[in-house]
Amino acid sequence: MANHMNAAKHRASGKSVLGGAMIIAGTTVGAGMFSLPVVSAGMWFGYSLAMLLGVWFCMLMSGLLLLEANLHFEPGDSFDTLTRVTLGQFWRVINGVSIAFVLYILTYAYISGGGSIVNHSLSALGVSLPQSVAGLVFAIVLALVVFISTKAVDRITTIMLGGMMITFFLAIGNLLIDIDTVKLASPDGESRYLPYLLAAIPFGLASFGYHGNVPSLVKYYGKDANTIVKAIVTGTSIALVIYVCWLVATMGNIQRSQFADIIAQGGNIGVLVAALSGVIASQWLDNMLTLFANLAVASSFLGVTLGLFDYLADLFNFDDSRTGRIKTAAVTFIPPTILGLLFPNGFILAIGFAALAATIWAVIVPALLAYKVRQQYPNADGFKVPGGTPLIVLVVLFGMITATCHLLAMADILPVFK
């Protein structure tokens, strides 16, 4: 009885599951999905589906393990506090470095992807810019939004998410109607598929990253485990459905051999959208797809850079005055923008590196946190992820396998479809 009263006391009043689910889905679905068809082209549709399901399950479990640990702390406590108190200074530093690295490398990836899609959009209007300049324009405009305030990001992201949903279903709906099942079921080119699975796993992991939002949800809902679990399960499931539709739409319309050309051109977003535009008959639908790509990259950029902005302000103790925000903005945006000018086509490469570092803070650390918390509070009655220690071992193994796959693919030991 006391537990029920306790739960009721912690329950967030009038905050729907849908709000949290949209935060999770919005964070998860973004520019990363544009890397999926490109890196899955080697193993094609059946294995891609199996990989997505497996990665979704492991990433869902690691998020729930993080939630379990997080609920033993006060709402508002984030990764830094959790790792320091539970795992000690070593893991706190490792975790902090991997979070900063992921956020920086994703900011660069989105500047590269943003430059590519802005360029593709402008070429339709007969304007041609060097891609690095397009990336610079993209970065400056969106950096100003982050600089203004969190509220500005919140408002604009909400509008963008609405726009993304509408444009995605309009463009994808038509691509799904026109799919050629022969392309999906029996792709052309060499008849080797399974070996390409391993190199694609890290990109799957990068497409299901929402773990930075788990502490935010605890802060938002209070310790209402039931609602947060529903929000995480619903949000990641929405993402999974969107990815499956996206793979059906791309692989059902573009030949497997055509992906070799897309990869040869750097696999960037503009190239993939251009290949799909070649398939879509109507100019209007082509515009919808291009608009969706722009919105996806922009909303991902805003979400990631807001996290990086707040993280760095906290790290360097920059205050919220105008001068403080200018200092934070400089540290946040200048390094990845310079990288974007120097290497305008690093989108796919950067997403892979982000996955490598994300295996630490989004997979391995949450599993270790849950393990330690269970030892510290063996008799605690609260939310506990089912599956006991075997599940924790499974999640850690998944993290280690993913990191190994990325390193082996980088060293050219794993086959990568070209």
Side-chain angles (χ1 to χ4, degrees):
M1 181 67 191
N3 287 344
H4 284 302
M5 285 172 69
N6 236 358
K9 190 176 72 187
H10 284 307
R11 182 153 300 136
S13 54
K15 289 178 179 168
S16 73
V17 170
L18 189 68
M22 288 317 289
I23 291 172
I24 295 286
T27 306
T28 310
V29 176
M33 68 182 272
F34 286 92
S35 69
L36 281 176
V38 180
V39 297
S40 306
M43 57 175 168
W44 211 242
F45 185 66
Y47 288 121
S48 301
L49 203 57
M51 181 214 44
L52 278 179
L53 280 167
V55 171
W56 167 77
F57 176 77
C58 293
M59 293 298 272
L60 173 62
M61 289 304 129
S62 71
L64 294 177
L65 289 167
L66 175 60
L67 173 65
E68 182 184 323
N70 209 152
L71 290 171
H72 288 282
F73 289 79
E74 285 312 300
D77 287 345
S78 194
F79 276 96
D80 192 53
T81 310
L82 265 65
T83 46
R84 189 186 73 236
V85 175
T86 313
L87 301 173
Q89 192 62 23
F90 171 76
W91 280 104
R92 178 195 179 187
V93 173
I94 295 271
N95 198 55
V97 168
S98 73
I99 289 178
F101 179 78
V102 167
L103 294 175
Y104 264 127
I105 202 91
L106 282 178
T107 303
Y108 158 67
Y110 296 151
I111 290 172
S112 159
S116 171
I117 192 64
V118 166
N119 228 353
H120 173 73
S121 312
L122 288 174
S123 66
L125 304 170
V127 181
S128 74
L129 278 181
Q131 188 159 315
S132 49
V133 178
L136 183 64
V137 174
F138 174 84
I140 291 170
V141 172
L142 291 171
L144 284 170
V145 177
V146 178
F147 172 70
I148 295 164
S149 71
T150 303
K151 197 167 191 177
V153 174
D154 186 30
R155 292 246 167 100
I156 289 177
T157 312
T158 309
I159 296 165
M160 283 182 177
L161 276 176
M164 267 171 68
M165 286 293 179
I166 296 164
T167 50
F168 179 74
F169 284 109
L170 286 174
I172 291 293
N174 215 61
L175 284 169
L176 288 175
I177 293 164
D178 289 345
I179 60 164
D180 178 354
T181 45
V182 176
K183 283 179 186 162
L184 271 184
S186 48
D188 61 354
E190 54 166 355
S191 54
R192 253 186 6 146
Y193 306 103
L194 191 57
Y196 295 118
L197 174 79
L198 294 170
I201 293 175
F203 294 90
L205 182 146
S207 303
F208 282 105
Y210 61 90
H211 298 65
N213 291 104
V214 174
S216 316
L217 288 184
V218 175
K219 191 174 171 180
Y220 179 65
Y221 286 114
K223 293 193 176 183
D224 180 5
N226 202 4
T227 306
I228 302 172
V229 170
K230 282 181 190 159
I232 293 175
V233 173
T234 310
T236 54
S237 303
I238 290 171
L240 179 66
V241 170
I242 286 177
Y243 291 159
V244 173
C245 290
W246 177 234
L247 283 181
V248 172
T250 46
M251 292 180 172
N253 282 290
I254 303 177
Q255 293 277 13
R256 185 170 179 235
S257 52
Q258 268 177 281
F259 274 103
D261 299 339
I262 295 172
I263 293 164
Q265 293 173 58
N268 215 323
I269 297 176
V271 187
L272 179 64
V273 172
L276 277 171
S277 303
V279 180
I280 300 178
S282 95
Q283 185 57 47
W284 181 79
L285 278 163
D286 177 23
N287 294 344
M288 285 297 114
L289 187 65
T290 305
L291 183 58
F292 167 71
N294 278 302
L295 291 171
V297 183
S299 63
S300 294
F301 180 87
L302 287 174
V304 167
T305 53
L306 181 64
L308 183 59
F309 190 92
D310 290 344
Y311 179 81
L312 293 171
D314 182 39
L315 189 69
F316 294 120
N317 289 323
F318 292 146
D319 59 13
D320 216 23
S321 66
R322 172 155 295 189
T323 329
R325 286 185 81 82
I326 289 173
K327 284 182 195 166
T328 312
V331 184
T332 305
F333 295 108
I334 291 172
T337 306
I338 290 172
L339 262 181
L341 286 170
L342 294 175
F343 308 105
N345 258 331
F347 177 71
I348 296 281
L349 192 66
I351 296 273
F353 272 115
L356 179 64
T359 53
I360 298 170
W361 71 272
V363 184
I364 295 170
V365 166
L368 296 178
L369 283 170
Y371 182 71
K372 286 294 277 193
V373 162
R374 286 177 191 182
Q375 287 184 319
Q376 286 166 359
Y377 309 98
N379 303 320
D381 49 336
F383 170 67
K384 211 173 194 170
V385 182
T389 311
L391 182 83
I392 292 180
V393 173
L394 175 76
V395 170
V396 172
L397 274 175
F398 166 71
M400 291 163 81
I401 289 167
T402 306
T404 311
C405 285
H406 182 69
L407 293 170
L408 292 176
M410 287 295 299
D412 272 340
I413 295 170
L414 285 183
V416 176
F417 185 70
K418 286 191 178 66

